[in-house]
Amino acid sequence: MKISHIRNATMVIETKDKVILVDPMLGAKGTAGPTFTLFRYKPQRNPILDLPSNANQVVEKTTHCLITHLHPDHLDKDGEEFLRAKDIPVICSVKDEAELLKRGLNVTQVVKYWEHSPFLGGTIEGIPAVHGYGFIAKPMGNVMGFYIQLPDEQSIYLSADTIYTDDVHKVLVEYQPQISVVASGRAQLDIFQPLLMKMEDIVKFVENSPNKVIANHLEAVNHCPITRKELSSELSKKGLLEKTYIPEDGQMMEF
């Protein structure tokens, strides 16, 4: 299995004969939407940087697309246009099906929480995700993580935009994924608590992951303050850096 980190939460998972695009934010710098903060962090339109130079070459191979939720830093207008133009089969939460169909996307499969569904010769299961600490999680809407097992490939847990919950813990400890992906930018708006795991919870996620971890959602949108350097330093102090990939945009990892 090859996994290419594109930017933010956008990644491409390549198996023997399938290429799965995850959460496509494919627009140029500043085109996905307005700044998410005005005073907590520097206001900049998102994304705050362009796609890596190899992005189109990787993304063009897409055969299927997984969408965890509908926020513009996970699915932007350019991502939608790409999916429509190529008529890419889209797999999403049962809660997002109606909206994605309305946008003209080719939704071929919906996934329910804690239910196994057939997927590309293997299985996929929806895992609950809570997009923020306390009150803010409700207006942030529904998010779905995915636990995927494909034939002759390592199992992968895409935790999506979530804080550390009992459900996240259950997947790490009971399912024993061989690759786990954690959104690590500690996103936060001008008010309310963070929308993603705080540093101590990212550390807990890596500690409790039985195998390799990929940390993404870093340095691409203006409301995510944690940098790759800070995360690397913290994980290094805890003796956890060796099991963690903190990829640069455009970097490909082999498993």
Side-chain angles (χ1 to χ4, degrees), residues 29-246:
K29 179 180 177 180
T31 61
T35 176
F36 289 123
T37 69
L38 293 174
F39 55 82
R40 184 185 292 275
Y41 309 117
K42 180 182 177 183
Q44 302 173 78
R45 285 186 63 83
N46 290 299
I48 59 174
L49 76 175
D50 279 320
L51 286 168
S53 58
N54 64 338
N56 288 341
Q57 179 187 344
V58 177
V59 170
E60 278 294 320
K61 297 185 280 185
T62 298
T63 63
H64 296 78
C65 178
L66 270 177
I67 296 174
T68 64
H69 65 302
L70 304 181
H71 290 170
D73 60 326
H74 291 255
L75 177 66
D76 64 358
K77 286 187 166 48
D78 288 79
E80 289 180 20
E81 285 171 14
F82 171 79
L83 296 174
R84 280 194 297 266
K86 298 272 191 179
D87 199 31
I88 301 290
V90 170
I91 300 92
C92 66
S93 162
V94 66
K95 294 186 175 182
D96 290 333
E97 179 185 20
E99 176 60 27
L100 291 175
L101 287 171
K102 194 162 78 174
R103 296 185 193 184
L105 300 190
N106 178 23
V107 178
T108 58
Q109 182 174 354
V110 295
V111 182
K112 297 180 180 178
Y113 293 107
W114 298 123
E115 283 191 23
H116 282 89
S117 305
F119 180 60
L120 305 182
T123 61
I124 188 169
E125 181 175 354
I127 308 297
V130 178
H131 200 339
Y133 294 87
F135 165 80
I136 191 62
K138 193 171 181 66
M140 293 306 288
N142 60 282
V143 183
M144 178 176 278
F146 298 106
Y147 179 69
I148 302 166
Q149 294 176 289
L150 297 176
D152 304 317
E153 299 287 1
Q154 297 193 30
S155 58
I156 182 166
Y157 171 36
L158 305 172
S159 62
D161 278 14
T162 188
I163 61 174
Y164 197 99
T165 65
D166 289 344
D167 293 328
V168 170
H169 187 78
K170 174 182 174 177
V171 175
L172 295 176
V173 173
E174 294 182 18
Y175 288 33
Q176 295 279 298
Q178 290 164 297
I179 305 164
S180 301
V181 182
V182 58
S184 305
R186 203 193 71 225
Q188 192 166 10
L189 305 177
D190 283 329
I191 54 175
F192 306 118
Q193 292 194 69
L195 311 175
L196 298 174
M197 293 182 205
K198 301 170 185 175
M199 184 68 86
E200 59 265 33
D201 283 335
I202 300 169
V203 169
K204 188 198 293 188
F205 185 101
V206 178
E207 280 178 334
N208 291 327
S209 296
N211 298 292
K212 291 292 186 180
V213 175
I214 299 171
N216 68 4
H217 216 304
L218 292 162
E219 300 181 41
V221 286
N222 88 300
H223 64 313
C224 285
I226 292 178
T227 64
R228 289 176 172 91
K229 187 176 178 182
E230 287 170 332
L231 181 58
S232 177
S233 174
E234 189 65 25
L235 293 175
S236 185
K237 284 182 208 166
K238 307 285 186 184
L240 296 169
L241 191 55
E242 281 193 5
K243 68 189 289 193
T244 311
Y245 292 88
I246 308 175

